[in-house]
Amino acid sequence: PNLRAVTHTRVWYEDPVPGGRTALTLQLSDLKFLGSRWEREGIRRVDGEKLLTTSELLPGEEFFLGEVNNKENPDYYSPFPVEQINNIPEKEQALVLNFRNIEQGHMVRASKQVSARGDDYTRYSDLSWYWFNPNHTTADLDIYFRVGADTLNYYEVNHKFSDSAVKTGWHNMNINIAELSNAKNGVLDDNGHIRSTVRDRRSGEIYEVRVVGRPDLRLVKRYYFGFKNNDLSEPASGYFYLNDVLLEGVKRDVGLAQRAGVRVNMADVIKVDFDWKHTDDEFHGLDTQSGSGVDNQDWSLAGNFAVEDFIPLLGFRLPLSGSRRQTINRPKYETNSDIEIIDEDVRNALSSIDTQERFSSRLSHSPSKGAIPRYLVDPWSLQVSGSRRSVDGPLNRRRDKSCLLYT
């Protein structure tokens, strides 16, 4: 049998009495498979996170993962109200990390795969979870929670209970995802990692954030949970709870696409066309699930008229036409990144503006009645055209001009 590929389950009853009963009624009320998808990843050194061998550990230095709940553990209480059915609370549980004799300079790490392909967390507003510390002796341990793709690419949020007003009990963490992504704009430390801070959305507390590698909140595959013993000179023993890791505030921003146009034709003497269209960064078609991430605005103005309709030109014709078009792209995220742009000045600096201008004119003579002008003047014409383009963007800046004159 292969427990990784279970397709059927069989339940049967055997009567221990020889001969058995002639009739029997069985009632099956509940069948559950209990367990945790969290996996231990060993005890490691804080510096470099190298996995320690058995000979490098203290006697009895170890940690375990388990679960506690409000049905089987009398001393456990939930950090939030539990739903009740017929005045009986539903079962609610938390991950428990038990540890013993964790030496100074050592850390423990556990991980959980949340998606094999990678989930997009930028569709949500906040990421929240609960930590529980039972007593003051473990309040100086640095607890961390990581979200990312693997052990080389992640965001790490750190907390120490001794820095909070409440040293023991449950502590709710609520992090804005856009602010977390902006931690990439922090300061580079000596190890090549980016250091920054993020503010708790509810309590206002400031948490330290470490960015390792190139994590992308649009491709989240794993969570990591653990703690580091940086300050305690005595080996640390105790336990922590982790509960209710949630994505909150689904972004249901309605994408908007707009378009307008004006056409003016004054008896074929003057023609003016104006077009404008705008699609915001959340707009998407039926074949996609999310917007382009770019606010696009495009407008164009074109017109033409004939000079001879207003000024006599002795039989000559001189039509003039010109146009101007401008496209403005304002990104929601930084280029090739999950960093959501919060500062409008940064958004303006990363925007691109493409402006194009064109004109043309052709001088020619109307068909003459006389033979001499018909053969000497009418066949000739003079045409001039030109264009100008400017592109201003974070990755491209150019200026182009052209002018053509021919007969």
Side-chain angles (χ1 to χ4, degrees), residues 114-213:
V114 292
S115 173
R117 302 179 60 182
D119 293 336
D120 186 357
Y121 282 20
T122 61
R123 299 180 184 177
Y124 300 84
S125 174
D126 303 319
L127 176 66
S128 70
W129 65 92
Y130 289 90
W131 273 326
F132 179 85
N133 176 44
N135 55 62
H136 290 82
T137 60
T138 52
D140 286 318
L141 296 176
D142 295 282
I143 315 175
Y144 64 83
F145 184 80
R146 298 172 179 173
V147 55
D150 48 43
T151 57
L152 301 178
N153 301 275
Y154 57 83
Y155 294 91
E156 177 186 279
V157 181
N158 295 276
H159 175 65
K160 187 182 291 186
F161 272 86
S162 60
D163 294 335
S164 298
V166 179
K167 313 298 183 184
T168 60
W170 286 107
H171 182 82
N172 179 226
M173 307 280 289
N174 190 276
I175 307 299
N176 181 264
I177 290 179
E179 292 184 11
L180 181 61
S181 68
N182 275 263
K184 284 182 177 177
N185 295 324
V187 180
L188 198 66
D189 65 14
D190 296 336
N191 296 319
H193 304 154
I194 299 175
R195 301 279 181 171
S196 186
T197 58
V198 64
R199 182 181 297 273
D200 192 291
R201 295 270 285 183
R202 293 195 176 104
S203 67
E205 289 188 60
I206 303 297
Y207 306 125
E208 292 186 0
V209 177
R210 185 168 67 109
V211 182
V212 176

Side-chain angles (χ1 to χ4, degrees), residues 263-322:
R263 305 286 183 269
V264 177
N265 188 342
M266 299 176 60
D268 291 334
V269 176
I270 297 178
K271 295 181 180 179
V272 178
D273 293 336
F274 176 77
D275 286 293
W276 173 82
K277 62 179 181 179
H278 171 253
T279 56
D280 65 16
D281 46 42
E282 295 293 339
F283 178 79
H284 62 87
L286 297 177
D287 56 340
T288 57
Q289 296 183 349
S290 59
S292 64
V294 177
D295 185 283
N296 175 270
Q297 181 174 263
D298 189 319
W299 65 267
S300 63
L301 177 66
N304 63 76
F305 68 95
V307 176
E308 67 272 13
D309 290 333
F310 300 91
I311 302 174
L313 298 179
L314 303 177
F316 285 93
R317 293 179 297 187
L318 184 60
L320 298 177
S321 63

